[in-house]
Amino acid sequence: MRIAPGVLLALSGAVQSNAWGDIVRDYDIPTGSGANSGTYNGNYSPIADFSTFVPPKNTDDLFKGSVQFGLTAASGNDTTHTLNGRTNLNWYNLPWSYNLYAYAYSSANKDETTAEHYVGAARMRYDLNDDSYLFSQLRLTVDRFSGYSNQLTLAGGYGRQLLNSEHQNLSIDMGPGVRRDALEQGATKYRALGYLGFDYTYEFTDTASFEQRASAEAAGIDLTIRTETSLKLGMSEKLNLRLAYLVNYTTNPPPKADYTTDTTTTVSLEYAL
């Protein structure tokens, strides 16, 4: 399967043509009052969608992908269940690389939903040489309990491969972007932002690896930081066990969000496609 190099650039142009003239300042647009209501419970999602790829020169495959699934259930005096799933797909057509990512998280206590979170993202990378690349990415986040109806982020810029050895990979990328925040109260804000992404992987053995990802979005005095720390243990050639700890920090969340810092711990099975 091959994706045309201009797909994400076309998406980028569509968003920029509508928003670029207004992102130099914040403004509110009345959009109705159909947003969901609820109390923010501190659950958040993985952030692999903003991270960099496996360096294309490290793989001879045209496609790499994985799916993950995790389930926690309790019954009796405490009846709860938590579900999470993730799909991460990568295509390589050097010097181009493409990534599609989707994530879903749901938690319920008896018959009451306490968390419901979805992420969809697309990313494109163009290698300038062995160590430098350009990237663009588009991310949509929907969270019933965050104070936002949804958030759409577009960013792009320059990246650098700082380490690329047999056991270690370290890359960092940065650039400008724009984010559309649709609030539950029915208003929409466009924010200009600066983006910084960080991705580190260390392979202990052929079946065990450590991964540390982080990103920062600065929109004026508002700062959003996301981190994911994970450990992957191979159970077979195709099946892995992944343990992950995630942190989302926002300096200025919407009024309906009770906390500035959210943490999530997940245990899931990962199948390599």
Side-chain angles (χ1 to χ4, degrees), residues 98-110:
Y98 312 93
N99 171 257
L100 293 177
Y101 172 87
Y103 173 78
Y105 179 92
S106 175
S107 181
N109 188 347
K110 296 184 178 179

Side-chain angles (χ1 to χ4, degrees), residues 68-87:
Q68 294 181 41
F69 178 76
L71 167 65
T72 302
S75 61
N77 293 323
D78 184 17
T79 303
T80 62
H81 71 263
T82 301
L83 295 169
N84 72 83
R86 186 195 311 204
T87 301

Side-chain angles (χ1 to χ4, degrees), residues 17-226:
S17 63
N18 292 329
W20 189 254
D22 298 296
I23 63 174
V24 294
R25 67 185 190 281
D26 295 346
Y27 65 95
D28 295 335
I29 303 175
T31 57
S33 56
N36 295 321
S37 60
T39 302
Y40 193 64
N41 68 345
N43 289 308
Y44 218 75
S45 74
I47 53 173
D49 49 285
F50 66 69
S51 68
T52 56
F53 301 99
V54 173
K57 66 179 181 179
N58 284 9
T59 178
D60 295 326
D61 298 325
L62 297 178
F63 170 80
K64 280 183 175 291
S66 64
V67 293
Q68 294 181 41
F69 178 76
L71 167 65
T72 302
S75 61
N77 293 323
D78 184 17
T79 303
T80 62
H81 71 263
T82 301
L83 295 169
N84 72 83
R86 186 195 311 204
T87 301
N88 198 14
L89 308 175
N90 299 281
W91 290 268
Y92 301 98
N93 182 24
L94 298 180
W96 298 92
S97 303
Y98 312 93
N99 171 257
L100 293 177
Y101 172 87
Y103 173 78
Y105 179 92
S106 175
S107 181
N109 188 347
K110 296 184 178 179
D111 295 329
E112 181 182 357
T113 300
T114 56
E116 190 172 340
H117 190 91
Y118 307 97
V119 173
R123 179 182 171 97
M124 179 174 66
R125 166 173 166 163
Y126 178 80
D127 287 356
L128 299 173
N129 51 49
D130 287 345
D131 299 316
S132 301
Y133 58 89
L134 301 176
F135 76 97
S136 64
Q137 58 188 19
L138 186 67
R139 168 191 171 113
L140 175 66
T141 304
V142 178
D143 188 343
R144 283 183 57 190
F145 303 97
S146 67
Y148 295 103
S149 176
N150 62 77
Q151 289 181 291
L152 182 65
T153 303
L154 173 68
Y158 173 80
R160 182 79 175 176
Q161 205 76 47
L162 301 178
L163 285 176
N164 190 13
S165 65
E166 181 180 359
H167 296 288
Q168 293 188 86
N169 172 62
L170 172 61
S171 56
I172 187 170
D173 45 37
M174 64 189 71
V178 59
R179 188 177 70 216
R180 188 195 69 185
D181 297 336
L183 303 176
E184 286 189 355
Q185 295 88 341
T188 298
K189 284 187 175 182
Y190 286 92
R191 310 293 305 275
L193 57 86
Y195 170 84
L196 176 66
F198 168 92
D199 191 323
Y200 175 75
T201 301
Y202 184 86
E203 295 184 354
F204 300 103
T205 66
D206 291 339
T207 58
S209 62
F210 168 83
E211 298 177 5
Q212 178 63 63
R213 298 182 174 101
S215 76
E217 296 177 3
I221 61 173
D222 295 338
L223 178 65
T224 299
I225 297 175
R226 302 183 181 98

